[in-house]
Amino acid sequence: MKSVIVGTAGHIDHGKTALVKALTGIDADRLEEEKRRGITIDIGFAHLELPLPGGEILRLGFVDVPGHERFVRNMLAGIGGIDLVLLVIAADESIKPQTREHFDICRLLSVRRGIAVLTKSDLVDRETLDVAKLEVEEFLRDSFLDPAHSSVVAVSSLTGAGLDQLRQALVKTATDIGARDSSALARLPVDRVFTMKGFGAVVTGTLISGAIRKEDELEVFPAGKRVRVRGIQVHGDAAEQAVAGQRTALNLAGVTTQELARGMVLAPPSTFRPASRMDASLTLLPSARPLKDRARVHLHAYTFETIATVVLFGQKQISPGETALAQLRLAEPTLLLPGDRFIVRQFSPVVTIGGGIVLDASPIPRMPGLEAFLKTLASDDAQSILRARVARRGHAGISLAQLTAETGLPRQLIETHLRTPAQADVSRAGDLFVHVPALERLKLSISETVAGFHKKNPLVAGIGKEELREQVAASTGVFEAALDKLVREKKLEAAGEFVHVSGRGVVLKDEEAESKKVIEHAFASSGLKVPALKDVLAGLKVDKARAQKIVTLLLRDKVLVKISEDLVFHRDALANLRRSLSSEKLKSPKIDVARFKDLTGVSRKYAIPLLEYLDREHVTRRMGDERLIL
Ligand SMILES: Nc1nc2c(ncn2[C@@H]2O[C@H](COP(=O)(O)OP(=O)(O)OP(=O)(O)O)[C@@H](O)[C@H]2O)c(=O)[nH]1
Ligand SMILES: [Mg+2]
């Protein structure tokens, strides 16, 4: 079964609703006011099944739009998700203002298929019909409905004349339409919200991509509310799932109708982020006035509508008929993805002036090379696009989840695209994809930072890893990957928490080396009855700053161990202490301060910090006044 969405378009009273009814038997005008006034106000829906030549069933979902110029915004809410347009022109009136405006909209939205239908053929004579047909053909020349490959069908919804021919044209045109990708991530722009007695909130819309199944959890954009799909109807029949290209009604749990409105979008949870800025390619209609930088417009995308400011990149205005890159700053956020089309209407008076295609709904402020980046995004090449999106993040990298949020592409597809040999310039660092040149630049910056550190701190063995990471401003995963590479390339060595240039030891001058020995000896020979550090340092030949560096070096190499602000011990003395404690344990596992003092011969001033140090090292555990030797 193939599902195709057919939209009507055309001037008021040209017979759109009558045509849909003649084809489907369904009156798409559902509002009381519509019936009373005999005009369409809001979008209406109908459906029809036709057999395809191969025996497959073609399911046509109709979206019937109003022709009245005051209701173009409703027309826009319906036309966004269509595959095929029926451009309806009354034979007795021929081309009128909304014929042009609706057709412009179809072109700006890149609707690629359609059929021009001359209605009310019963109201005109043969000659008038032929003239109208010629006018219409002239109007359509060089468009996607060029008469060279798409004929104009004359019908009468009153007598039924030409309807068979129109059905055939529908089948033929629908055959050319490729099926939408139902494995893509689902998006349902909401066009109607109502309550069904006994069921609760119901939303309807054209499922523009992916599939939605019963019991799926979905997120409502932009509010972020989570809902559950309690029931699904497709073209009015209960269904287990809806797939892209189907008119879909969802009965939702976890939400009230007050929390829902036309213009919202349903999508998988925790996958996308709503945006209020997007970079786009914007085309102005030849009939429009020039559009100035920072002009305000009405923006329509699928069923969503808001006010937007158009910020141009390096130009003062867009001329009629011109296409330019621009950033759209929306008054309200929405979920839009690259490739989505939109329409802009003049702020006042409200007329359609242009439209375009979203290139990036997650722009980075003041990004260098923006134009080249957007040109790549405008291409159809998913691999280049993904590569460019990885590259622009520099060594910050980008996660799979973020890439999905930015592109709407499923994870698996992104992984496949980025794994091919052609993508050798994208590397994986933990959870992140990183552009290889950015990783190389980071490696260089790490090497330079380490070299700079050695120069400034000749007596220190190396720079702390965390300090190094902060200085090069890299995230942990990417930093580790870059450091790993440098170590493998034997440019750096990482010893524990410290990084230094390969093969580099600390070079001490004679008097410094001598001082180091003096300090070490002072502590090694005093056991646990250590002297005060400042007294030891005072007796050295080197100045205070250098003496302090030597101490830092000894602490870093763990020759000396600092156990409190002013108590430093030699590692051998502490090792001896551990040994004597473990033999004490054989006598009794419990030890109090008095016994500790007896054992070590130290005063209370040393005993307390030593015991606290042993607690921290999990050699002892404090239990009231006593300690347990572990
Ligand atoms: N004689 C004749 N009348 C028609 C035909 N099609 C529509 N009409 C009449 O034209 C009038 C307008 O038809 P609609 O189908 O409501 O026109 P519409 O294009 O849907 O109008 P809006 O939705 O308001 O833009 C109605 O009175 C119809 O009965 C036709 O083929 N022949
Ligand atoms: Mg109508």
Side-chain angles (χ1 to χ4, degrees):
M1 190 179 61
K2 185 168 185 174
S3 293
V4 167
I5 304 286
V6 182
T8 60
H11 198 72
I12 184 166
D13 250 1
H14 276 203
K16 297 178 288 299
T17 306
L19 179 64
V20 170
K21 186 163 185 199
L23 285 168
T24 67
I26 298 168
D27 183 1
D29 280 349
R30 61 203 148 76
L31 304 175
E32 186 274 326
E33 189 185 352
E34 289 176 324
K35 296 199 193 294
R36 182 162 41 78
R37 289 169 66 182
I39 61 163
T40 303
I41 294 168
D42 202 0
I43 43 179
F45 312 97
H47 48 88
L48 172 68
E49 286 183 2
L50 292 174
L52 285 171
E56 202 189 350
I57 294 291
L58 171 66
R59 232 179 189 193
L60 299 169
F62 286 85
V63 180
D64 180 40
V65 308
H68 196 300
E69 72 174 310
R70 273 190 44 218
F71 304 135
V72 174
R73 49 191 292 241
N74 289 343
M75 178 268 182
L76 284 164
I79 209 82
I82 68 166
D83 300 297
L84 184 166
V85 66
L86 290 180
L87 182 66
V88 171
I89 302 151
D92 58 341
E93 286 200 344
S94 195
I95 290 145
K96 290 289 209 179
Q98 268 62 55
T99 319
R100 292 181 193 281
E101 185 169 13
H102 284 196
F103 193 53
D104 281 341
I105 288 168
C106 289
R107 275 188 291 185
L108 289 166
L109 291 176
S110 292
V111 175
R112 292 188 205 291
R113 312 271 173 198
I115 303 162
V117 187
L118 264 178
T119 50
K120 309 196 185 183
S121 62
D122 58 290
L123 290 185
V124 295
D125 57 28
R126 179 89 230 164
E127 212 169 296
T128 316
L129 189 66
D130 285 345
V131 172
K133 205 166 180 174
L134 282 175
E135 272 178 22
V136 170
E137 283 176 353
E138 193 48 44
F139 174 66
L140 299 175
R141 207 166 303 286
D142 297 329
S143 75
F144 70 99
L145 292 185
D146 190 298
H149 48 76
S150 153
S151 55
V152 177
V153 182
V155 301
S156 165
S157 302
L158 196 74
T159 67
L163 287 180
D164 274 339
Q165 209 193 329
L166 179 57
R167 281 189 204 99
Q168 279 166 26
L170 275 168
V171 166
K172 184 169 167 288
T173 313
T175 312
D176 293 344
I177 294 171
R180 296 201 211 189
D181 185 5
S182 55
S183 68
L185 290 159
R187 275 194 297 154
L188 182 81
V190 172
D191 54 33
R192 260 195 323 150
V193 177
F194 54 91
T195 314
M196 226 160 75
K197 248 203 160 130
F199 289 93
V202 176
V203 296
T204 70
T206 300
L207 188 56
I208 56 171
S209 74
I212 294 177
R213 275 160 286 269
K214 242 165 119 165
E215 296 305 322
D216 274 357
E217 200 195 342
L218 296 172
E219 184 172 341
V220 184
F221 287 86
K225 176 113 189 157
R226 301 297 168 90
V227 297
R228 183 173 56 82
V229 178
R230 202 189 271 156
I232 300 183
Q233 283 196 353
V234 172
H235 299 298
D237 294 328
E240 282 303 306
Q241 70 161 8
V243 297
Q246 292 182 335
R247 284 292 311 164
T248 305
L250 302 180
N251 176 211
L252 300 176
V255 69
T256 62
T257 48
Q258 285 77 35
E259 296 169 287
L260 297 163
R262 174 178 288 181
M264 292 182 178
V265 183
L266 299 183
S270 311
T271 306
F272 298 113
R273 260 160 273 153
S276 48
R277 286 189 177 198
M278 39 203 78
D279 289 346
S281 151
L282 173 61
T283 301
L284 213 55
L285 287 171
S287 57
R289 289 206 301 239
L291 187 73
K292 292 208 165 56
D293 182 29
R294 310 245 162 200
R296 295 215 298 166
V297 295
H298 297 273
L299 179 128
H300 297 256
Y302 300 111
T303 63
F304 174 76
E305 176 190 351
T306 193
I307 289 166
T309 305
V310 179
V311 179
L312 301 177
F313 298 129
Q315 62 187 88
K316 293 227 156 50
Q317 63 171 43
I318 311 182
S319 308
E322 194 196 350
T323 298
L325 294 173
Q327 182 164 92
L328 306 168
R329 299 190 178 161
L330 316 187
E332 290 147 88
T334 186
L335 170 59
L336 280 174
L337 291 176
D340 285 341
R341 316 276 162 166
F342 60 88
I343 292 291
V344 292
R345 306 190 81 210
Q346 190 167 274
F347 193 72
S348 173
V350 188
V351 287
T352 302
I353 52 171
I357 177 164
V358 175
L359 298 175
D360 185 20
S362 28
I364 293 178
R366 288 177 290 284
M367 182 182 137
L370 178 67
E371 259 185 63
F373 173 71
L374 292 179
K375 288 216 169 94
T376 306
L377 296 197
S379 77
D380 250 354
D381 181 355
Q383 268 188 9
S384 310
I385 290 171
L386 286 167
R387 198 199 282 127
R389 286 187 177 276
V390 173
R392 79 161 161 165
R393 299 284 168 174
H395 72 237
I398 183 166
S399 68
L400 198 51
Q402 266 176 297
L403 275 173
T404 291
E406 282 191 5
T407 59
L409 297 174
R411 285 167 173 243
Q412 227 180 347
L413 198 66
I414 296 174
E415 296 234 50
T416 315
H417 276 313
L418 290 178
R419 221 186 291 127
T420 61
Q423 303 284 321
D425 57 352
V426 171
S427 115
R428 194 97 191 232
D431 176 41
L432 299 171
F433 292 100
V434 189
H435 196 220
V436 171
L439 205 57
E440 289 302 321
R441 282 194 296 278
L442 176 64
K443 278 168 61 189
L444 196 65
S445 149
I446 292 176
S447 295
E448 285 171 2
T449 307
V450 175
F453 180 86
H454 284 320
K455 210 167 168 199
K456 259 200 230 149
N457 306 276
L459 298 182
V460 182
I463 178 170
K465 255 191 194 173
E466 193 52 25
E467 184 187 344
L468 177 58
R469 188 186 70 76
E470 276 170 20
Q471 284 196 23
V472 298
S475 68
T476 310
V478 178
F479 172 75
E480 292 288 345
L483 189 60
D484 243 34
K485 283 205 167 129
L486 285 162
V487 169
R488 267 185 276 128
E489 290 164 9
K490 302 217 181 311
K491 294 195 172 121
L492 295 182
E493 280 174 32
E497 278 309 294
F498 297 97
V499 180
H500 61 88
V501 166
S502 273
R504 184 188 186 281
V506 177
V507 195
L508 291 183
K509 290 184 204 133
D510 284 351
E511 53 191 33
E512 288 168 349
E514 194 193 316
S515 300
K516 189 180 168 204
K517 271 192 201 138
V518 171
I519 301 172
E520 201 181 331
H521 180 74
F523 286 93
S525 61
S526 57
L528 292 175
K529 290 172 202 149
V530 288
L533 183 60
K534 66 175 192 314
D535 296 342
V536 177
L537 298 191
L540 296 177
K541 283 183 190 160
V542 296
D543 61 48
K544 218 170 142 190
R546 277 197 288 167
Q548 196 51 56
K549 276 186 184 161
I550 297 168
V551 173
T552 310
L553 200 60
L554 286 165
L555 289 171
R556 196 153 281 181
D557 292 344
K558 301 205 164 48
V559 174
L560 296 185
V561 181
K562 195 173 196 171
I563 67 156
S564 74
E565 205 32 62
D566 37 37
L567 270 185
V568 175
F569 292 85
H570 195 274
R571 66 173 161 211
D572 293 346
L574 292 172
N576 283 338
L577 174 61
R578 283 175 191 243
R579 268 195 295 278
S580 55
L581 274 174
S582 62
S583 51
E584 276 304 289
K585 187 183 172 184
L586 301 175
K587 292 181 211 158
S588 158
K590 284 186 181 161
I591 187 165
D592 58 9
V593 177
R595 189 173 157 213
F596 185 77
K597 276 164 64 185
D598 286 348
L599 177 71
T600 55
V602 298
S603 67
R604 190 177 175 84
K605 197 175 113 195
Y606 284 25
I608 301 297
L610 271 171
L611 280 167
E612 284 170 355
Y613 162 77
L614 291 168
D615 289 344
R616 285 200 301 278
E617 292 286 302
H618 303 293
V619 177
T620 54
R621 183 179 335 123
R622 185 166 181 177
M623 301 171 72
D625 286 342
E626 290 186 322
R627 279 178 167 82
L628 192 66
I629 306 170
L630 300 170

mmCIF file of all heavy atoms in Angstrom, residues 47 233-238 247:
data_model
loop_
_atom_site.group_PDB
_atom_site.id
_atom_site.type_symbol
_atom_site.label_atom_id
_atom_site.label_comp_id
_atom_site.label_asym_id
_atom_site.label_seq_id
_atom_site.Cartn_x
_atom_site.Cartn_y
_atom_site.Cartn_z
ATOM 1 N N HIS A 47 -10.341 11.195 2.085
ATOM 2 C CA HIS A 47 -9.423 10.153 1.612
ATOM 3 C C HIS A 47 -10.078 9.284 0.568
ATOM 4 O O HIS A 47 -11.302 9.214 0.445
ATOM 5 C CB HIS A 47 -8.921 9.309 2.778
ATOM 6 C CG HIS A 47 -10.023 8.842 3.682
ATOM 7 N ND1 HIS A 47 -10.701 7.688 3.476
ATOM 8 C CD2 HIS A 47 -10.572 9.427 4.786
ATOM 9 C CE1 HIS A 47 -11.635 7.559 4.422
ATOM 10 N NE2 HIS A 47 -11.574 8.603 5.226
ATOM 11 N N GLN A 233 -5.332 6.459 14.469
ATOM 12 C CA GLN A 233 -6.207 6.275 13.313
ATOM 13 C C GLN A 233 -5.497 6.808 12.085
ATOM 14 O O GLN A 233 -4.859 7.859 12.128
ATOM 15 C CB GLN A 233 -7.517 7.050 13.497
ATOM 16 C CG GLN A 233 -8.478 6.359 14.444
ATOM 17 C CD GLN A 233 -9.893 6.892 14.325
ATOM 18 O OE1 GLN A 233 -10.148 7.873 13.625
ATOM 19 N NE2 GLN A 233 -10.821 6.244 15.001
ATOM 20 N N VAL A 234 -5.596 6.052 11.007
ATOM 21 C CA VAL A 234 -5.057 6.507 9.736
ATOM 22 C C VAL A 234 -6.217 6.612 8.762
ATOM 23 O O VAL A 234 -6.952 5.626 8.576
ATOM 24 C CB VAL A 234 -3.977 5.527 9.214
ATOM 25 C CG1 VAL A 234 -3.560 5.896 7.802
ATOM 26 C CG2 VAL A 234 -2.773 5.533 10.150
ATOM 27 N N HIS A 235 -6.421 7.761 8.196
ATOM 28 C CA HIS A 235 -7.565 8.001 7.299
ATOM 29 C C HIS A 235 -8.866 7.537 7.928
ATOM 30 O O HIS A 235 -9.692 6.898 7.282
ATOM 31 C CB HIS A 235 -7.376 7.300 5.950
ATOM 32 C CG HIS A 235 -6.176 7.772 5.214
ATOM 33 N ND1 HIS A 235 -6.017 9.061 4.803
ATOM 34 C CD2 HIS A 235 -5.055 7.127 4.836
ATOM 35 C CE1 HIS A 235 -4.862 9.194 4.180
ATOM 36 N NE2 HIS A 235 -4.250 8.036 4.198
ATOM 37 N N GLY A 236 -9.000 7.772 9.214
ATOM 38 C CA GLY A 236 -10.266 7.458 9.873
ATOM 39 C C GLY A 236 -10.413 6.027 10.337
ATOM 40 O O GLY A 236 -11.403 5.691 10.985
ATOM 41 N N ASP A 237 -9.457 5.136 10.057
ATOM 42 C CA ASP A 237 -9.555 3.747 10.527
ATOM 43 C C ASP A 237 -8.526 3.495 11.624
ATOM 44 O O ASP A 237 -7.384 3.964 11.528
ATOM 45 C CB ASP A 237 -9.270 2.763 9.385
ATOM 46 C CG ASP A 237 -10.350 2.838 8.318
ATOM 47 O OD1 ASP A 237 -11.511 3.107 8.688
ATOM 48 O OD2 ASP A 237 -10.015 2.651 7.133
ATOM 49 N N ALA A 238 -8.911 2.700 12.642
ATOM 50 C CA ALA A 238 -7.971 2.357 13.711
ATOM 51 C C ALA A 238 -6.784 1.616 13.113
ATOM 52 O O ALA A 238 -6.929 0.817 12.181
ATOM 53 C CB ALA A 238 -8.664 1.477 14.741
ATOM 54 N N ARG A 247 -2.184 10.667 6.642
ATOM 55 C CA ARG A 247 -2.951 11.532 7.543
ATOM 56 C C ARG A 247 -3.171 10.724 8.815
ATOM 57 O O ARG A 247 -3.680 9.607 8.788
ATOM 58 C CB ARG A 247 -4.301 11.889 6.919
ATOM 59 C CG ARG A 247 -4.225 12.928 5.828
ATOM 60 C CD ARG A 247 -3.829 14.302 6.320
ATOM 61 N NE ARG A 247 -4.602 14.726 7.486
ATOM 62 C CZ ARG A 247 -4.231 15.734 8.271
ATOM 63 N NH1 ARG A 247 -3.118 16.402 8.036
ATOM 64 N NH2 ARG A 247 -4.971 16.068 9.298
#
